[in-house]
Structure formats: C-alpha cells, structure tokens
Amino acid sequence: MNRRHCATAAITLVCALALLTAPVQAMAAPVPEPAPTASASTEKKSLEEVRDEIDTLYRKAGAATDAYNLAEEKSEKQSGEIVRLTKSIADGQAKIAELKDRAGAQAREQYRSGGLPPGAQLMLSGNPDLFMDGVNQARQGQQAAKGMLTELEQAQEDLETYTKDASLNWEKIEANRVKQAKAKKSIDAQIAAAEKLESQLAKEEQARLLQLEKDAASTAQAAWLSSGALKEINREASAAGRKAVAFATAQIGKPYVWGAEGPGSYDCSGLTSQAWAAAKKPIPRTSQEQWRQLPHIPIQDMRPGDLIIYHSDATHVGMYVGDGSIVHAPRPGRHVTLTGAGSMQILGVVRPDK
C-alpha cells in the first residue's frame, strides 16, 4: 500500500506541474555574450564601418534568435512529453484499479464455490469427463490469478518509473528556464544596439547604407556566377518544391520580424519552415537545425525549393527559386525579397523532400 500511496502522490504532483508550467527550453543552447555598444559616434565612422558594425550586431542577434527559436521548438516537445507522461501515469493507475477489481471478483467467486470453479465441483457426479474438465478449469483459474498478480506488479513498477521520469523532466525544465530568459534578453540587447546605430543615420545616409548592402550583394553574386556555379544547376523542382516556392514568393514584401512565422511577417527560417509546411513537409524551425537535420546535397544538384544555408554558423537561410536566385527574409528593417543565391557566404544546401 505504501508504494501505491507514493505513486498516487507523485501522479498528483506531476499533473499539477504540467498544468502550471509554461513551455520552456528542454536543452538550452549557450547564451550569447551581451551586445556590444558603439565605442564612438557614427559621425566619427565611415558609413562602411557603420554598415559592418550593424551587420555584426544583427549576425550575433541572429545566432541568439536561432538558439531561442530552437529552445521554443524543444520546449513544445518537452511540454508534450510531460502531457503524455501524465496520461500514462493516469492510465497506469486505472489499469491497477481494474486488475484489483478483477482479482477481487475472482477471489469472491472462489469463496462462494468453496475454492473450486463450477467444473471442478461436477467431479462429484462420478463422470470422468466432467472431473477432468474441472481439474483443467482449476488449473486455468490458478494460472489466470498468477498472471493477474504479475501484471499488477509490473504495472506498479511502470508507474514508479513514470513518476521518476516526470521528476527528472521537471528538473530539466526548471534548470533551463533561466537560460532561456537570458537568451531572450541578449537578443533584445543585440537588436536594440543595431537599431540605435541605424537610427543615428540621416535619411540620406540610410539610403546610402541600403545601396551599400545592394552593392556588396551584387559583387558577391557576380563572383559566384563567374565561378561557374550555375553551369550544372538546371534541375526541375519537385511537386512539393513547387508548392514551397509558391508559398515563399507569395510572401515577398512582408517585413522581417525576429522569431516571426507569419502570416504578416517572418524571420529567415520562419519563412522557409512555413513554406515547406504549406507543401505538407514539416521541417525544423531554425536554420541551424535545418542544416543539421536535413539531407545535404551538392550545389550543382540544387533545384528550386532547396534551402541554401549561409555563414559558417548556419545563422541564415534562403530558398532557391531558380535562375541563381533565392527568396529570403534578410534582417530587421528589411522585407522578404529576391536576391542572388551567391550574395552571401554559402555554407551548403539542404533538401527537405529528399
């Protein structure tokens, strides 16, 4: 009885925790360092230096955002696991109650019949066939009772395991809650620093800054094309790929927002993950997990719908749409747009529907 009381108490605790707990990260990524601040006013820096500094801040914020988005994705799975675990505990408790009722009913029946099943009692009639039937029924009854007891014991052991697992999961959730909060604060600090730098620019300088970005992208794209990268890239999109491309290109013009997954705004991996979800092919939420989990393919085998992962830390992603172009959500202050696939440092290519 003590074991059952302990298990019941654990069930109550886990259920309460599951109801009171908001989703949090299961395995938090390392928290990025605090955002750097401008060491000098923008007046003392060239516009190119300001652009580089803004890009660095947004890159760091992008890495932090990826970690935070991954934390949210894992926390949802963790929360679902807690719910499933709680249901398993409740099912186990119901199973124990059912087995106890069955065992009690059998015991009462044997008490009423003097400890023998009806068939065994008929042996008193002197009929050999009835006698053997009674013996067999008696054996079957004993085996059934033994089986029920074994099953009952196993159910109790399973229940204890469930409660231990629930406690461990709860400890992990609580331990990582603080890390997730710190990661979110770091993202906000990085974004604020970048936005402050950009806001200090005059309108003419902001226009020049945008032109500098376009010029840098065009130079990189031209270098990529001159390398012969497109010579063998002439494959047709798959049926799912066409749906993903159609969804992604339909979002052109919508603003970039950190962590957004539509429908009014997107971040880079929010756009690609939602595009492939629209094609009935769910993929990981973040660019880093898309790079880690999806099949890698050579650039020369690329086809529309494939995802190009950028930068050495896999912190940006765009969808290849053909003719050397991608659709992507660039950064805060910008909108979903088409640009050259080689306009940024390519890490590699992944295929969601391989």
Side-chain angles (χ1 to χ4, degrees), residues 34-294:
T37 56
S39 56
S41 67
T42 55
E43 294 178 357
K44 296 180 181 180
K45 300 179 181 179
S46 70
L47 195 58
E48 184 62 39
E49 289 174 328
V50 172
R51 187 183 77 85
D52 289 342
E53 189 168 352
I54 289 174
D55 285 348
T56 298
L57 288 169
Y58 278 133
R59 282 282 307 281
K60 290 183 177 180
T65 299
D66 238 20
Y68 182 70
N69 289 339
L70 178 59
E72 284 194 321
E73 185 178 39
K74 288 187 174 181
S75 72
E76 290 177 3
K77 294 180 181 178
Q78 184 76 4
S79 180
E81 182 180 352
I82 290 292
V83 172
R84 290 190 297 273
L85 185 58
T86 303
K87 183 179 183 302
S88 296
I89 292 174
D91 290 345
Q93 188 180 32
K95 186 177 183 181
I96 289 174
E98 179 186 356
L99 290 173
K100 288 167 65 177
D101 288 344
R102 286 166 54 189
Q106 186 180 50
R108 289 191 295 271
E109 176 61 28
Q110 289 187 354
Y111 176 79
R112 286 193 296 269
S113 62
L116 292 174
Q121 296 180 53
L122 291 176
M123 69 181 181
L124 299 176
S125 66
N127 186 319
D129 292 335
L130 292 178
F131 174 79
M132 291 306 299
D133 287 343
V135 171
N136 289 335
Q137 289 185 31
R139 288 176 179 173
Q140 291 173 3
Q142 292 172 351
Q143 290 175 353
K146 183 178 180 181
M148 280 193 293
L149 289 174
T150 301
E151 193 174 354
L152 178 59
E153 291 173 355
Q154 184 62 53
Q156 288 176 316
E157 290 178 5
D158 290 345
L159 185 57
E160 291 173 3
T161 300
Y162 288 143
T163 56
K164 289 178 182 178
D165 289 345
S167 297
L168 290 174
N169 287 333
W170 170 248
E171 290 172 4
K172 290 179 182 178
I173 289 173
E174 279 300 295
N176 285 294
R177 184 190 295 273
V178 175
K179 291 183 179 179
Q180 189 183 34
K182 287 182 178 179
K184 183 64 170 65
K185 288 181 180 179
S186 177
I187 294 170
D188 294 340
Q190 300 283 1
I191 295 172
E195 290 177 342
K196 182 178 179 180
L197 274 176
E198 199 161 2
S199 68
Q200 291 172 347
L201 300 173
K203 288 186 178 180
E204 295 80 5
E205 290 178 314
Q206 291 180 7
R208 286 174 54 206
L209 178 65
L210 179 59
Q211 188 59 49
L212 281 174
E213 291 177 2
K214 291 180 178 179
D215 291 345
S218 296
T219 300
Q221 175 73 353
W224 184 66
L225 292 176
S226 65
S227 70
L230 282 181
K231 286 183 178 179
E232 298 182 28
I233 303 178
N234 57 2
R235 289 165 177 75
E236 295 292 328
S238 64
R242 287 193 292 272
K243 292 179 181 178
V245 168
F247 179 94
T249 53
Q251 312 313 310
I252 290 175
K254 294 183 178 180
Y256 181 109
V257 173
W258 294 112
E261 300 178 80
S265 58
Y266 297 88
D267 66 10
C268 65
S269 56
L271 176 64
T272 55
S273 61
Q274 288 302 305
W276 274 100
K280 309 301 182 185
K281 179 68 178 180
I283 63 174
R285 167 64 178 84
T286 70
S287 59
Q288 291 176 336
E289 287 301 290
Q290 289 169 6
W291 174 245
R292 189 178 71 85
Q293 295 186 33
L294 297 178

Side-chain angles (χ1 to χ4, degrees), residues 235-238 297 301-306 320 351 353-354:
R235 289 165 177 75
E236 295 292 328
S238 64
I297 63 167
D301 293 336
M302 188 164 57
R303 69 189 186 193
D306 290 342
Y320 186 65
R351 178 165 293 166
D353 61 340
K354 185 174 181 179

